[in-house]
Amino acid sequence: MTPKSLAGRLNAVIDGWLTAPEPNAAGRLGLFRILYSAFYLWLLSFNFVANLSGLPAARRRRILLIEWLPTELPPAFFELLEAALVAALVLLMVGLRVRLATLVVLVIGCILEAFLTSADPEYSSVLLVFYIPAFVLLTNARWGHTYSLDALLRRRAGKPPVDPSIPSGPYFLPARAVLVVLSMLFLSAAVLKVAAGGTWLVYPSYMANLLLKKNVDAAIYGLPLNPLAPVIASSPLAHTAIRYQVLLFEALFVLGLFNRKLRSFFLALALVFHAIGGLWLVVTFTPVLIVYALFVDWQELRHRLWPTRLTLMDAVPSRVLVWSALSVAVVAGALWNVGGGLRAAVNLGGLLNWRTIWYPLLPVALIWWLMTLLELGRSAVSLIRPSPRHSPGEGRDLLPGARG
Amino acid sequence: MPREHRPDPAPDSSPRGTLWLIKAALLVIGLGLCVAGRRVGSWPLVTWGMFSRLTPKFPPGHVSAVELRVIGSHGEFVRVAPLDLFPMDRAVIADSLFARAFDKDERPLRNADRTYLEGLIRRRLPEVEPRSIQGWRLHWEVNPRALPPLHRDDPSFEPLGSFTASLQEAAGP
């Protein structure tokens, strides 16, 4: 086999993986768009970006993306950008001018987050503010093809509608691209912990001391404590095992690219990992949560909860729908920094915060993880003892990655 | 709703160009992450190096944190903790700002920090018209292996000084 033909085959395998069918791809991406916008608004409700106005330049890190902007910016600048971002997120949620709204969310979101990062790096937000909208735009903003005003208006104009249940691979392309980036980021986390100055293999008591220190931090902030921290810290076997488990999980997450069952296993495990970090280690990695929602079949869920077609908007004239959506977007943007009522409405008066969101998610993630573990176990058994009812190879991925 | 597979009726159903774009983007991101290493300046092209260089030591037997008391124009005061100004994931900004605003050294930058802190308080706590801002260091004895490791409601207080809202030096360092 020549290098050229080998490269050609590799390219074909990658193309096949990226565009492999995914159940309900069109519908779940449309529903994900709504969830993404709501999640983004919820995160924004806690972050007052205008807080950064006046922060001395000497206290900031240099971020190339915002180097061209003046260092002294008034609060109104940040509030204006924030208002525009909120308006764009509302439009994205209802699905009006989706491509433009996605572009605005990407650009303004990145500028605001870059300012926040210049004051204090928050690594988990890159997926929310950059990678997801960027990959959606690169793939023609298909998340506006279903469950959107755009789709409704297209249908009324006589154009064929997109069936939400189609398993068309291109609809799932942004999710797969984000999964690749997530794998790279997890791999980078593992590599940097053990190489290039990483300390995880140098300090045997790393995890014990970290758990105790985080418990002290939690006590200072008045947050709930980790009741297991003293127990784990006094058991070298336990804290060493946790340390290596973290490294193994981060390094092996990339395996989720090669098989759908492994993907579910690692995604569920990642959720458990983040939930434990959020609840007991004061690790605020909450923005990353939205990535995992990309891999939930929301269309199937909607179909089970509401099997009939949604006809709520059918009787409303298009002009009314469009102007109502635009009005809501403008009002939401205008009121975002007035008082605090709208922010409070979005985060339920602070009840749903970076930490409390993990309480319902931890049991769900644990159940999901156990189910995927069980499924992987079944697959392993069937590999060892092929069932006589099935042909050899059935039920597993013959070509790694071919089924995403 | 029909659930059988139908061809993608979207106008841009051919993904050939899109595929090349995605693959090129992933390649650039992969290479970019390798080049970026631990740098934050290349954000959003950053790796996840958090906690990787920590050298956590067994927590000391004593910890402290800075809290503010904002004295209003009628003599009333409001206690301000870092979480009153920033959410938890950015609380470190307030933590270090509080400490720096009452630092004994770094006088030129300390004034800049105080100006910023005052503006921040005016924006976030509009119900208080600050006349002066006091810094207090709260101290706790710590038993790291106990639950709780410290008694949060029973700190000892150390005054760090104050500055008037107009930024004229008052009592303290």
Side-chain angles (χ1 to χ4, degrees):
Chain A
M1 189 180 291
T2 64
K4 197 177 173 185
S5 66
L6 187 69
R9 278 193 68 176
L10 182 66
N11 191 40
V13 168
I14 293 170
D15 285 356
W17 180 81
L18 282 169
T19 56
E22 188 77 18
N24 299 317
R28 63 199 275 182
L29 192 68
L31 289 168
F32 171 78
R33 186 199 75 245
I34 297 170
L35 191 71
Y36 171 89
S37 315
F39 182 82
Y40 205 145
L41 280 172
W42 171 70
L43 275 178
L44 275 181
S45 72
F46 295 103
N47 276 298
F48 294 81
V49 192
N51 273 2
L52 297 181
S53 173
L55 179 68
R59 304 300 188 196
R60 285 193 185 145
R61 289 172 180 80
R62 279 187 65 202
I63 304 284
L64 290 174
L65 191 71
I66 49 170
E67 275 289 288
W68 55 280
L69 285 165
T71 49
E72 293 293 324
L73 287 162
F77 169 81
F78 294 102
E79 287 174 354
L80 199 67
L81 281 189
E82 218 173 17
L85 179 57
V86 167
L89 283 169
V90 171
L91 289 181
L92 193 61
M93 193 186 292
V94 298
L96 183 66
R97 304 294 299 269
V98 166
R99 199 184 302 248
L100 180 65
T102 308
L103 183 66
V104 173
V105 167
L106 173 68
V107 173
I108 298 183
C110 278
I111 290 175
L112 292 181
E113 190 61 28
F115 271 103
L116 286 165
T117 299
S118 72
D120 172 45
E122 167 56 70
Y123 299 89
S124 63
S125 59
V126 284
L127 291 149
L128 174 83
V129 303
F130 177 64
Y131 288 115
I132 291 177
F135 281 126
V136 165
L137 276 176
L138 284 179
T139 52
N140 285 321
R142 287 166 180 258
W143 64 358
H145 287 184
T146 53
Y147 299 104
S148 65
L149 276 183
D150 283 351
L152 182 70
L153 297 176
R154 261 201 309 270
R155 203 174 72 219
R156 286 181 179 178
K159 291 178 182 160
V162 174
D163 179 355
S165 63
I166 57 167
S168 167
Y171 276 96
F172 210 60
L173 203 46
R176 292 209 171 92
V178 168
L179 187 65
V180 174
V181 172
L182 186 64
S183 306
M184 289 186 207
L185 291 173
F186 269 129
L187 191 61
S188 76
V191 170
L192 292 173
K193 281 183 175 77
V194 299
T199 52
W200 279 53
L201 296 182
V202 182
Y203 292 90
S205 300
Y206 185 103
M207 194 52 78
N209 292 344
L210 184 69
L211 284 168
L212 293 175
K213 185 192 175 303
K214 288 291 183 179
N215 239 18
V216 173
D217 290 347
I220 292 173
Y221 284 118
L223 298 170
L225 303 173
N226 176 2
L228 296 176
V231 181
I232 296 170
S234 55
S235 164
L237 185 68
H239 65 74
T240 304
I242 291 174
R243 187 161 50 106
Y244 282 102
Q245 272 172 23
V246 171
L247 291 173
L248 271 177
F249 159 71
E250 290 178 339
L252 297 181
F253 186 89
V254 71
L255 293 178
L257 297 177
F258 296 101
N259 179 287
R260 193 177 288 171
K261 285 176 186 167
L262 279 174
R263 183 182 85 190
S264 296
F265 171 80
F266 277 104
L267 289 173
L269 190 56
L271 265 180
V272 175
F273 176 67
H274 294 313
I276 290 172
L279 290 171
W280 288 317
L281 282 170
V282 202
V283 176
T284 54
F285 225 56
T286 310
V288 81
L289 186 54
I290 194 64
V291 175
Y292 304 107
L294 262 172
F295 301 93
V296 176
D297 192 345
W298 302 106
Q299 172 63 21
E300 179 64 28
L301 196 66
R302 189 202 77 77
H303 189 73
R304 284 187 187 188
L305 294 174
W306 195 285
T308 53
R309 196 174 74 83
L310 297 171
T311 54
L312 284 171
M313 307 291 178
D314 284 5
V316 187
S318 300
R319 189 170 292 192
V320 173
L321 285 174
V322 170
W323 280 105
S324 303
L326 286 172
S327 306
V328 171
V330 169
V331 169
L335 293 182
W336 192 251
N337 284 303
V338 178
L342 191 53
R343 288 176 188 260
V346 169
N347 60 41
L348 307 179
L351 205 65
L352 192 66
N353 62 32
W354 68 275
R355 186 183 179 92
T356 54
I357 196 169
W358 294 108
Y359 282 116
L361 282 171
L362 179 58
V364 171
L366 268 174
I367 291 168
W368 185 25
W369 180 66
L370 287 173
M371 283 167 64
T372 59
L373 198 63
L374 208 65
E375 212 172 320
L376 277 176
R378 277 200 209 111
S379 299
V381 169
S382 70
L383 273 177
I384 298 164
R385 289 186 306 179
S387 163
R389 288 183 292 116
H390 299 288
S391 58
E394 192 179 341
R396 60 193 161 102
D397 294 346
L398 289 173
L399 185 63
R403 288 168 59 194
Chain B
M1 187 172 288
R3 297 179 64 72
E4 73 277 5
H5 175 80
R6 280 197 266 146
D8 181 2
D12 49 350
S13 56
S14 167
R16 183 64 43 198
T18 308
L19 265 177
W20 275 108
L21 263 178
I22 290 288
K23 285 186 286 186
L26 288 174
L27 188 66
V28 169
I29 291 164
L31 293 173
L33 291 179
C34 293
V35 174
R38 294 179 186 276
R39 292 182 196 92
V40 183
S42 57
W43 189 95
L45 221 53
V46 284
T47 52
W48 279 357
M50 56 277 173
F51 297 105
S52 63
R53 271 183 164 170
L54 273 185
T55 53
K57 296 183 173 60
F58 189 77
H62 166 265
V63 291
S64 69
V66 178
E67 184 186 86
L68 306 180
R69 286 184 193 174
V70 181
I71 316 293
S73 49
H74 300 103
E76 77 281 13
F77 76 89
V78 181
R79 289 172 71 166
V80 179
L83 291 184
D84 295 321
L85 300 179
F86 284 92
M88 187 62 218
D89 56 347
R90 310 279 185 188
V92 67
I93 301 175
D95 277 333
S96 50
L97 175 68
F98 286 12
R100 289 193 311 252
F102 294 95
D103 197 351
K104 289 193 172 74
D105 306 318
E106 280 196 277
R107 187 159 291 270
L109 278 178
R110 193 183 68 176
N111 281 342
D113 286 325
R114 287 181 171 187
T115 307
Y116 170 56
L117 181 58
E118 186 191 328
L120 192 58
I121 287 169
R122 284 185 191 278
R123 274 199 300 279
R124 294 304 312 283
L125 305 168
E127 65 277 10
V128 186
E129 178 57 43
R131 199 184 65 206
S132 71
I133 298 166
Q134 299 177 350
W136 290 79
R137 188 168 285 282
L138 280 56
H139 296 269
W140 292 276
E141 297 301 317
V142 178
N143 180 359
R145 292 191 189 278
L147 280 174
L150 57 87
H151 296 285
R152 184 171 186 260
D153 297 331
D154 190 24
S156 58
F157 293 90
E158 175 200 353
L160 297 176
S162 68
F163 60 93
T164 58
S166 56
L167 285 176
Q168 289 161 10
E169 290 291 325

